[in-house]
Amino acid sequence: MDKERLGLSSPHMSEEGFEQEYVQEAFDTNWIAPLGKNVNEFEHELVNYVGSQNGAALISGTAAIHMALKAADVKEGDIVICQSLTFSATANPIIYQGAKPVFVDSDKETWNMNPNLLRTALEKYPEAKAVIVVHLYGLSAKLDEITAICNEYNVTLIEDAAESLGTTYKDRATGTFGDYGVYSFNGNKIITTSGGGMLVSNDDERIQKVRFWSTQSKDKAKHYQHSEIGYNYRMSNITAGIGRGQLKVLNNRVEKKRYIHDFYKNELQQLTNIDFMPENQWNRPNFWLSVILLKGTDRNVLIDALEKENIETRPVWKPMHLQPVFANYDHIGGEISEQLFKEGICLPSDTKMTDDDLYRVTTVIKREMSNEE
Ligand SMILES: *Cc1c(COP(=O)(O)O)cnc(C)c1O
């Protein structure tokens, strides 16, 4: 088989070479080491793009979630309520802080945290320190309901917007509704810096504190003096240069992702045994990945058939409450995320794909899914 591999999502640098210009500038000024103009400007430009006030550029989205929890004063033994249907990087930092996750199920209309179950969780754990909601695949959670409940219980809201940069909820960017918002620039995300993340917040004092912790918590003194534990989490000036270039093409990437999603939907909607991602009028998703649900058939059969044609697909995230590593923690509900995991397949959604590439995918799906009838 010599067919070219079609992957889920891979780095896509600008045709204009914007990223290289910023990196070259860093070389020319010997600003290779951490910090420098690109880091400051990247923070500034991203914060402007999403409509937040302050940002700290960090080495990963995971580090940003960790710093958000620390900024929210999450400590040993505290409870953190976390969406169950997500990637493990959402939940791991809860453990880094010695806190205890409580996992909450999703709802069908958004695939993200069910506000009613969040309320149930907060009634059971009113002492919870923070809530982490996720906007999976660029779909947004029910932010009005979730922010209202978090205000009522006076609990810090962290939005894991790692997959939803470029997504809006009621015309405002996801990641700007909670006390903290987290973005990721990992290689598979809608834009990438090869690896990186950003924590945003309107609380300037907390973001300055995060910059302090993430550069080894150096007190103001001539010698090395530390009164707090530090981390080496700051983004480098080279990496930030890639990010600045990528930000310039983010809107194009969103439009292409949306085109890919519409293409699949148009081509596949005649198949009665396939469902699509939920669409809500208050949400404009970036469709980071296009996902279909298979009704009444084994998703692994289709995954294997596509793999034979050198087409990469993946099941939807396995919920955290089903993960062996989190088996000892409480969860509220779970059926919806379990069903999405069982039925869902992420399709190739690479912004470099051509129509011919997309037809390669839909041809196999039509062949396989028509046989099932
Ligand atoms: C990618 C991702 C992260 C982690 O981001 P990194 O930059 O890879 O550390 C966190 N949460 C979700 C939902 C993600 O998809």
Side-chain angles (χ1 to χ4, degrees), residues 133-332:
V133 66
V134 191
H135 307 296
L136 284 180
Y137 307 118
L139 302 172
S140 84
K142 290 179 178 160
L143 283 164
D144 281 345
E145 290 85 341
I146 287 168
T147 50
I149 295 167
C150 288
N151 285 339
E152 190 184 322
Y153 282 84
N154 202 16
V155 58
T156 300
L157 177 61
I158 299 167
E159 288 179 79
D160 179 348
E163 300 180 4
S164 71
L165 183 59
T167 295
T168 57
Y169 173 89
K170 297 188 178 172
D171 295 327
R172 203 172 121 194
T174 52
T176 64
F177 289 79
D179 300 280
Y180 300 97
V182 169
Y183 302 100
S184 165
F185 316 110
N186 189 38
N188 60 351
K189 297 303 196 298
I190 191 158
I191 60 169
T192 183
T193 58
S194 75
M198 186 94 69
L199 180 66
V200 302
S201 174
N202 289 339
D203 188 335
D204 177 41
E205 186 267 325
R206 292 279 88 188
I207 290 294
Q208 287 190 36
K209 198 77 208 214
V210 165
R211 293 193 190 119
F212 171 77
W213 290 325
S214 60
T215 47
Q216 308 284 25
S217 295
K218 291 178 204 137
D219 292 345
K220 282 203 175 73
K222 279 213 172 59
H223 54 278
Y224 285 102
Q225 163 103 0
H226 307 276
S227 25
E228 289 188 71
I229 293 295
Y231 300 82
N232 191 358
Y233 274 179
R234 206 73 162 106
M235 182 181 278
S236 90
N237 200 48
I238 298 290
T239 306
I242 304 174
R244 292 182 73 191
Q246 284 273 278
L247 259 190
K248 291 192 170 178
V249 292
L250 174 55
N251 287 340
N252 301 341
R253 299 295 178 263
V254 172
E255 292 319 306
K256 184 63 189 277
K257 294 277 192 190
R258 292 178 58 85
Y259 173 86
I260 291 169
H261 172 262
D262 290 348
F263 187 103
Y264 283 135
K265 198 163 177 181
N266 286 333
E267 281 298 309
L268 301 174
Q269 65 189 355
Q270 81 243 34
L271 297 168
T272 54
N273 43 10
I274 288 182
D275 271 354
F276 297 89
M277 303 166 89
E279 291 188 57
N280 296 295
Q281 38 88 18
W282 34 261
N283 174 210
R284 189 173 195 273
N286 70 5
F287 290 120
W288 171 55
L289 296 181
S290 286
V291 183
I292 54 172
L293 300 177
L294 304 194
K295 309 313 278 183
T297 58
D298 182 356
R299 65 155 148 72
N300 290 340
V301 175
L302 181 60
I303 289 176
D304 292 345
L306 287 158
E307 188 56 51
K308 273 207 193 98
E309 303 285 338
N310 210 15
I311 298 169
E312 181 192 15
T313 58
R314 284 287 175 92
V316 159
W317 300 120
K318 181 173 181 174
M320 293 304 110
H321 72 273
L322 298 181
Q323 297 289 355
V325 71
F326 294 123
N328 293 332
Y329 299 100
D330 197 6
H331 62 95
I332 311 288

Side-chain angles (χ1 to χ4, degrees), residues 110-129:
T110 66
W111 292 9
N112 292 303
M113 187 180 276
N114 180 330
N116 297 325
L117 296 181
L118 170 61
R119 182 177 287 286
T120 308
L122 283 166
E123 278 164 6
K124 190 167 174 190
Y125 298 100
E127 75 280 19
K129 270 281 185 67

